[in-house]
Amino acid sequence: MAAFLHPLLLTFLLLITTTTSADLPPSESAAMTKLSSSLSPPDWSGPDPCAWKGVSCSGGHVASITLSGLNIKGILPPDLDSLTSLTSLSLQDNLLSGELPPLPSLSSLSSVFLDNNLFSRIPATFFSGLSGLQTFSIEDNPSLAPWEFPDLSGSGSLVSFKAMNSSMAGTIPDVFASVPGLQLLRLSYNNLLGSLPPSFAGSGIKYLYLNSLSLSGGIDVLASMTNLVAVSFQANRFTGPVPDLSNLTSLETLNLRDNQLTGVLPPLLFKIPALKNASFVNNVFQGPFPVIPDGVKVELSNGSFCLPTPGDCDPRVDVLLEVAAGFGYPMSLARLWTGNDPCKPVTWPFLTCNANGAITVLSLASQHLTGFISPAIANLTALKTVILSSNNLTGLIPDSMTGLPQLQMLDVSNNNITGFMPSFRPGVTVKVTGNPLFGKAPGSGGGGSGSDSGSSGPSPGESNSKNSQSKNVIGGIVGGVIGVVILVGGSYCFWCKYRNDDKKPNHKKFGRVQTVGPQNEMVKIGIHNLAGPEIPGITTEGPFISIDKLRKATGNFNEENELGRGGFGIVYKGVLENGTEVAVKRMESNGMGMKGMNEFKAEIEVLNKVRHRHLVSVIGYCIDGNENLLVYELMHNGTLGQHLFEWQERGEEPLSWKRRLIIALDVARGVEYLHSLAQSSFIHRDLKPSNILLGKDWRAKVSDFGLVKSAPSGNHSLETRLAGTFGYLAPEYATTGKVTTKVDVYAYGVILMELIIGRRALDDSLPVEEAHLVSWFRRAFSHKDSSFSKYIDPTLQLSEDEKKCAIIVAELATHCTVRDPYQRPEMGHAVNVLSSLVEQWKPASPSEDDDDLGMQSNLNLAQVVQEWERDEGTSTMNYGLFRNNESNQTTQSDIFPVQTTGAVVPPR
C-alpha cells in the first residue's frame, strides 16, 4: 500500500506546485497575455506566465520581468499597471517603440531599465504612483519626443536616475531636496539648458554626469555637494571660477573640460585627499600655475596663467586678478591676460603703463562686465584714469579709490552703481551719469535729482582744478579708448598668436587623459550575443542585419534610393522594419579587392571604438556572399560639399554664415574627439566636404572611416601608403607618406577655406595660379587688413561684424595649413576659437552607451558607476575597481598618462 501511495503523493504534490505557480490573479494573467501578444518574446509559451523565460513570480504574483538584449519589437500595453506586485522591469537593448504607459498602481516597482530602445514618448504622468522607485534608466532612446525632467517628489526612495541621450529638454528643475537618497544622476548628451539647480547643494549625490549639454552660469553649488565622488561637466557653457572644493573630501574625479571657466584655480583643490583625476582643458584659467601633487593625474592647458610652471605672479598681476574677481573673471579679459607682464600692450591691451612699468590707465568700457568694483583697485597706486562705463556693474564706488594719489578721472557712467559719492581729492573727475540709483537712500527710487547730481560727478573742489587737469584727463581717455578698441577688435589675434607661438619650440606630445566623450545623436554599436557572421581579422560587435531586410529597406537597392557613390560602393536610402531611416553602403567583395575589404574592416573596427555626436553612427552590418554592407544613421541633408558647391543645381539656398560657423565647430569637435578624447586616438586621413554629413537640424557629423589609422604615440609619425584626396593632403604626407594627427588639421584648414570662399580645394577651371585653393588663399589673406573681405563668398552678403568674424576664421585656416606640421594647432584650439564665435552669433539651433548591467544585484554601486563611465566613451573615472580583475584589461596607465612627479599632463 505504501509503495502504491508514494507515487500518488508525488503526483499530488506536483499538481499543487503547478497550480500555485500558475494561479495568478485574473488581472495579472490577462496583463501577461496582453504583454506576450504585444511583444512576442521568445520562449513565452504555455498557460503559466510564471514559467516563461525571464519572468519571476513570488507569492502568486509576477515579481519581475527581464527581457533584455533580445531585439524584441512592439509596444508596452497599459495593462502592465495591473502587475501590482512587480518590483523589477528590465527591457533594455531591444527595439521597443511607442509611448510608455503610465503605471500609477505599481508602488512596489523599484527598478526600471528601458535603455537602448525606440520609445517615442514619456507621458508626464509616467512617474506618478511609483513611490518605491529606486533605479530608473532610459538611456540611448534618441527617438523620444522632447520631455522635461520629471517631478520626482513622489519617488523619495530614488537612488539612481539615468537619462543620457534620451531627448530630454528644458531645464534641470530645483527638485532634489525631495529625493534625498539620490546618489547617481546622469543626464549627459541631451538638450538641457539653464543653470545648476540650487537644491544640488546639500544633496546626497555622489556621481554626477552632465556632459555635452547647454548648461551655463557658475558652478559654485559644487562646493556644497560634500558627498561627491565623481563629477563630469564636460562640454557645457559654465562660466566664472572654480569654487573652493576642499570640503569634498571624497572627490576622486573632476572633469570640467571644454567650458568657459576662468579665474584662479583654488590651491586647496589639489590637496583633496581622495582626488586622483582632474581635467580642465579648454578653459581659460588665470593666476599662478597650480602645484600638482604626486599621484594626481591632471589634464590642464596653459590657459592664461602668469607662468607656465608653478610660481608667484607679478604683484601687478595679483592686483588685477583681485579686480577681475570683482567682475566675476570675465572671459573677454581672461583670454587676453597672458603672461606675467601686464605692461605688454600686445597681451594686455586694456592697460596703459608708464616708463617705469606702473599701470596708469585701466580702460574696460562696454565689456558687458557684471559684479562690482573691487577695493583692490586702489593697490594700483599709479592709476590716473579708470574707465568702466557702459557695463552692468553694481555696488558702491570703493572708498579706497579716494586714496589714489594720481587719479584724475573715474568714469562709471551707464552702470547700476549705488551708494553715494566718496570724498575724492580736488581735481578728480568722476562720471556717474546713467546710474539711476546712485546718490539715493535705499528705497527712494530711481531717476530724479539723485541721478542728475551724480552725473556731474565732481568731488568737492573739482571745478577749480578741472581745466588744469584737462590735458592729462584727455590723454588718459584717448589711451583708454585705444585700449578698448584693441581689446574688442583684436582679442583673437593677440591671444591666438601668443598661444601658437607658445607651442612652437618642440611641440612635444604627452599621454592622453581619456575623458568622457559626447555621444548624443549616436546609436549604440555594441550589442552582446549577436547572431551574425564573423569578419576575419577583426572583432565586430555591431548588430548583424540580414541581406533580405536590407533589400526590403532599400526597395531591392532601387536606383531611386541612391544617395551617392564612393570609391568602393553605392550608398542607398532605406527604412528598416522598425521605421528607422538608414543609409546603406553596399560593396561587393569581388569588386572591391583586398584594399576595399581592409577599408570595410577598418571602418567597422573604428566605429566600434568611437562614439561621438559629431561622428556618424553605424547601426549594423551585413556580409552575404560577395555582398558587404554597412548600415548608418541617415543624415537627411546630405553632404557639406553638396550645399557648398552644388546648391544652385539642387535648387537650394546657399548656407548662411551662421550655419557655416556651426558646421565648422561640429567638425572640429568630432575630429578633436578622434585625435585626443576617444579611448584610442585615430587619424581620419580623408577629411573633405563630401565626408561631412548634415542632419535634419543641419548639425554636422564626420563620416567615412575606411582610411582611419591609429595615431602613433608621442611625437612620432606613422608611415603608411598615400591615401586621401588631392587638395586636402598635407605637404609632408604627400611627399613622405608619414602621418600624424596634423594631416587632419591641414585638411580641416582647407575645409575652413572652402566655407569662407565657397569654392573647391582644386578647381581646374581657374587660372593655374588660382587653381589650388590653399596657395591662393594664403596669398589673398596676406591682405586681410585691406582687401581680403572682397574674396569672401559673395552669396553670404556679410555685415561688417560678420566680415571681421570671417577674418578670424580665415586666420585660423591659415594656422591649420602652415607647411610645418609642428606649427599647426591642435584641434582643441580650433574648438576654442570657433566656440567663442558661435556663442557670439547666437545661432537659432541649440547646440546641442550604456551598460547592459543596469543596477543588477550582482554589482555594487561603484561597479555600476564604472560601467557607466566605460560606456560614455571614457575610462578616466577610475575608482580603483577591477584593477586586478583579469576580465578588465584596462590598466591604470591606459586610463591616465603615467605621472610620478606631480607635473601637469598637457593635452594632446
Side-chain angles (χ1 to χ4, degrees):
M1 184 67 176
F4 176 75
L5 288 176
H6 189 262
L8 288 178
L9 181 61
L10 287 176
T11 302
F12 177 72
L13 291 174
L14 287 172
L15 287 172
I16 292 177
T17 303
T18 303
T19 302
T20 302
S21 63
D23 193 18
L24 294 175
S27 60
E28 292 192 32
S29 294
M32 293 301 291
T33 300
K34 183 68 173 178
L35 183 64
S36 176
S37 62
S38 295
L39 304 185
S40 300
D43 303 320
W44 275 28
S45 59
D48 181 7
C50 295
W52 295 348
K53 186 176 181 180
V55 178
S56 174
C57 296
S58 176
H61 298 276
V62 175
S64 68
I65 299 173
T66 302
L67 296 173
S68 56
L70 299 176
N71 289 326
I72 298 172
K73 300 176 184 177
I75 61 174
L76 297 181
D79 308 65
L80 272 179
D81 191 50
S82 299
L83 304 176
T84 54
S85 295
L86 191 68
T87 61
S88 176
L89 181 64
S90 299
L91 302 175
Q92 65 267 39
D93 299 325
N94 285 296
L95 299 171
L96 303 180
S97 56
E99 179 176 328
L100 292 177
L103 304 172
S105 302
L106 303 193
S107 58
S108 298
L109 188 61
S110 63
S111 60
V112 177
F113 300 102
L114 304 172
D115 311 274
N116 197 24
N117 277 288
L118 300 170
F119 291 114
S120 61
R121 184 172 176 269
I122 301 179
T125 58
F126 179 79
F127 291 90
S128 300
L130 299 182
S131 57
L133 190 64
Q134 297 181 24
T135 301
F136 178 77
S137 186
I138 193 165
E139 301 198 314
D140 291 324
N141 274 275
S143 298
L144 281 170
W147 60 293
E148 295 186 351
F149 194 95
D151 178 7
L152 298 174
S153 58
S155 302
S157 300
L158 191 67
V159 175
S160 169
F161 188 92
K162 304 190 298 179
M164 180 178 72
N165 189 27
S166 66
S167 303
M168 186 177 283
T171 60
I172 303 176
D174 196 24
V175 298
F176 294 92
S178 64
V179 280
L182 185 66
Q183 297 183 36
L184 309 172
L185 179 64
R186 188 162 69 166
L187 307 176
S188 302
Y189 319 122
N190 284 297
N191 295 314
L192 294 170
L193 44 78
S195 57
L196 297 175
S199 57
F200 271 172
S203 70
I205 296 175
K206 293 183 177 181
Y207 306 98
L208 180 60
Y209 298 91
L210 302 175
N211 297 315
S212 290
L213 304 172
S214 296
L215 301 179
S216 57
I219 59 173
D220 291 345
V221 71
L222 287 182
S224 302
M225 300 180 71
T226 54
N227 291 309
L228 278 173
V229 175
V231 56
S232 189
F233 287 175
Q234 177 176 329
N236 281 282
R237 300 173 182 172
F238 290 120
T239 56
V242 176
D244 179 7
L245 303 179
S246 56
N247 288 330
L248 278 60
T249 55
S250 299
L251 185 66
E252 296 183 2
T253 298
L254 179 64
N255 179 12
L256 300 176
R257 67 170 296 143
D258 303 328
N259 280 284
Q260 299 171 34
L261 298 172
T262 54
V264 179
L265 284 172
L268 295 179
L269 172 63
F270 300 98
K271 296 184 180 180
I272 295 175
L275 189 65
K276 298 184 179 74
N277 310 312
S279 181
F280 303 99
V281 170
N282 293 336
N283 290 287
V284 189
F285 295 112
Q286 302 149 272
F289 199 93
V291 177
I292 311 297
D294 293 343
V296 180
K297 310 300 187 298
V298 177
E299 188 185 36
L300 181 63
S301 50
N302 284 338
S304 292
F305 295 114
C306 60
L307 297 170
T309 56
D312 294 333
C313 296
D314 185 289
R316 296 167 297 173
V317 176
D318 288 334
V319 174
L320 289 167
L321 284 170
E322 289 187 67
V323 174
F327 303 148
Y329 297 108
M331 177 63 77
S332 59
L333 300 186
R335 284 180 170 150
L336 293 172
W337 289 25
T338 304
N340 204 27
D341 184 357
C343 290
K344 284 187 176 180
V346 172
T347 53
W348 300 72
F350 50 90
L351 301 175
T352 301
C353 300
N354 61 23
N356 297 321
I359 298 169
T360 58
V361 176
L362 176 63
S363 182
L364 292 169
S366 302
Q367 293 302 302
H368 307 289
L369 300 179
T370 58
F372 60 91
I373 305 171
S374 170
I377 197 170
N379 293 324
L380 300 173
T381 56
L383 276 176
K384 295 181 179 180
T385 302
V386 178
I387 302 175
L388 300 172
S389 57
S390 300
N391 286 293
N392 296 299
L393 299 176
T394 58
L396 309 175
I397 297 175
D399 285 334
S400 61
M401 295 190 72
T402 62
L404 287 169
Q406 301 183 54
L407 186 66
Q408 298 170 359
M409 189 184 75
L410 170 63
D411 185 355
V412 293
S413 57
N414 300 316
N415 280 284
N416 294 299
I417 300 296
T418 56
F420 296 90
M421 182 69 69
S423 298
F424 286 94
R425 62 179 175 78
V428 178
T429 299
V430 182
K431 297 185 177 182
V432 291
T433 305
N435 289 277
L437 297 180
F438 186 79
K440 296 205 173 288
S444 63
S449 61
S451 179
D452 295 338
S453 63
S455 67
S456 63
S459 58
E462 175 204 337
S463 58
N464 294 332
S465 58
K466 195 169 184 180
N467 292 335
S468 65
Q469 301 292 335
S470 60
K471 292 183 179 179
N472 290 334
V473 172
I474 292 171
I477 295 173
V478 172
V481 171
I482 293 173
V484 173
V485 170
I486 296 174
L487 173 65
V488 175
S491 61
Y492 166 73
C493 298
F494 294 136
W495 174 67
C496 179
K497 181 179 186 301
Y498 178 86
R499 295 290 291 271
N500 284 332
D501 289 347
D502 187 52
K503 292 183 177 181
K504 287 182 181 179
N506 54 27
H507 211 72
K508 188 174 182 180
K509 286 188 177 181
F510 293 81
R512 176 184 69 263
V513 178
Q514 296 172 340
T515 56
V516 176
Q519 160 208 6
N520 83 320
E521 304 177 19
M522 294 297 297
V523 178
K524 182 176 177 182
I525 295 170
I527 300 292
H528 299 287
N529 303 320
L530 94 97
E534 295 184 357
I535 302 178
I538 65 172
T539 301
T540 304
E541 297 183 8
F544 175 77
I545 302 175
S546 71
I547 188 66
D548 292 336
K549 290 182 178 180
L550 295 182
R551 290 185 187 279
K552 183 177 180 181
T554 60
N556 197 22
F557 304 108
N558 193 309
E559 288 185 1
E560 294 182 359
N561 290 325
E562 186 175 316
L563 295 175
R565 293 174 178 259
F568 292 101
I570 304 173
V571 181
Y572 297 88
K573 177 181 178 179
V575 182
L576 297 179
E577 291 178 348
N578 61 14
T580 302
E581 294 182 291
V582 294
V584 182
K585 182 193 286 187
R586 184 188 191 194
M587 299 158 280
E588 291 190 5
S589 58
N590 285 350
M592 65 196 297
M594 183 57 68
K595 178 168 173 276
M597 178 57 75
N598 289 338
E599 293 187 14
F600 178 75
K601 295 177 182 178
E603 186 148 13
I604 299 179
E605 183 77 3
V606 171
L607 289 169
N608 271 318
K609 293 180 179 179
V610 299
R611 314 156 58 78
H612 192 277
R613 69 188 185 281
H614 295 307
L615 301 179
V616 73
S617 304
V618 68
I619 293 175
Y621 76 99
C622 175
I623 298 177
D624 187 88
N626 293 332
E627 297 273 14
N628 296 275
L629 304 101
L630 284 173
V631 184
Y632 304 93
E633 58 177 322
L634 180 65
M635 301 294 283
H636 292 79
N637 276 316
T639 73
L640 174 60
Q642 290 170 331
H643 293 280
L644 273 182
F645 312 126
E646 302 170 14
W647 59 272
Q648 287 178 308
E649 298 92 314
R650 294 163 59 90
E652 298 170 345
E653 293 294 320
L655 293 173
S656 68
W657 175 244
K658 293 179 184 179
R659 187 157 282 169
R660 296 186 198 203
L661 267 183
I662 298 169
I663 290 169
L665 177 58
D666 289 347
V667 175
R669 283 176 168 157
V671 179
E672 181 197 25
Y673 175 79
L674 276 179
H675 287 183
S676 58
L677 304 182
Q679 294 186 9
S680 300
S681 287
F682 297 100
I683 307 168
H684 189 279
R685 293 203 300 161
D686 199 19
L687 280 179
K688 55 185 178 181
S690 60
N691 285 340
I692 297 168
L693 304 182
L694 305 176
K696 280 183 178 178
D697 56 359
W698 294 95
R699 303 307 296 268
K701 298 190 182 189
V702 178
S703 70
D704 202 336
F705 300 93
L707 298 182
V708 166
K709 291 289 185 183
S710 295
S713 60
N715 59 356
H716 301 291
S717 61
L718 175 69
E719 188 165 356
T720 181
R721 65 177 178 82
L722 188 64
T725 304
F726 286 109
Y728 305 90
L729 293 178
E732 73 278 7
Y733 183 30
T735 56
T736 68
K738 294 182 178 180
V739 294
T740 64
T741 54
K742 295 306 179 69
V743 303
D744 286 346
V745 175
Y746 181 92
Y748 178 74
V750 180
I751 294 170
L752 289 181
M753 294 177 180
E754 293 176 312
L755 286 167
I756 296 168
I757 304 300
R759 51 160 282 199
R760 298 181 187 273
L762 290 177
D763 190 343
D764 293 335
S765 66
L766 295 173
V768 174
E769 64 274 13
E770 298 180 18
H772 184 231
L773 177 60
V774 173
S775 301
W776 173 85
F777 188 98
R778 295 180 66 84
R779 289 195 302 271
F781 189 67
S782 64
H783 305 295
K784 61 181 178 181
D785 294 330
S786 57
S787 60
F788 176 74
S789 60
K790 72 181 182 183
Y791 299 115
I792 296 173
D793 187 346
T795 66
L796 290 173
Q797 298 180 348
L798 302 184
S799 67
E800 288 304 313
D801 286 340
E802 288 173 323
K803 288 178 182 177
K804 293 175 183 177
C805 179
I807 288 176
I808 292 175
V809 180
E811 185 169 357
L812 175 62
T814 59
H815 285 315
C816 291
T817 54
V818 294
R819 190 167 189 83
D820 184 351
Y822 295 108
Q823 293 185 17
R824 296 174 203 150
E826 304 286 348
M827 287 305 301
H829 174 71
V831 171
N832 271 343
V833 172
L834 295 172
S835 294
S836 62
L837 295 178
V838 167
E839 176 67 19
Q840 173 186 351
W841 293 110
K842 297 180 181 178
S845 299
S847 198
E848 351 227 286
D849 115 287
D850 199 72
D851 55 88
D852 298 315
L853 301 172
M855 288 280 291
Q856 294 178 13
S857 59
N858 63 326
L859 293 181
N860 61 37
L861 182 62
Q863 288 172 323
V864 171
V865 171
Q866 177 148 353
E867 289 297 319
W868 287 13
E869 291 156 348
R870 180 198 52 147
D871 293 325
E872 279 210 51
T874 179
S875 297
T876 65
M877 315 306 181
N878 188 327
Y879 302 100
L881 305 173
F882 308 128
R883 287 181 181 168
N884 299 313
N885 187 340
E886 292 181 0
S887 66
N888 187 324
Q889 301 300 315
T890 301
T891 66
Q892 186 76 357
S893 61
D894 291 326
I895 295 170
F896 276 93
V898 176
Q899 178 184 341
T900 58
T901 63
V904 72
V905 180
R908 294 184 58 140

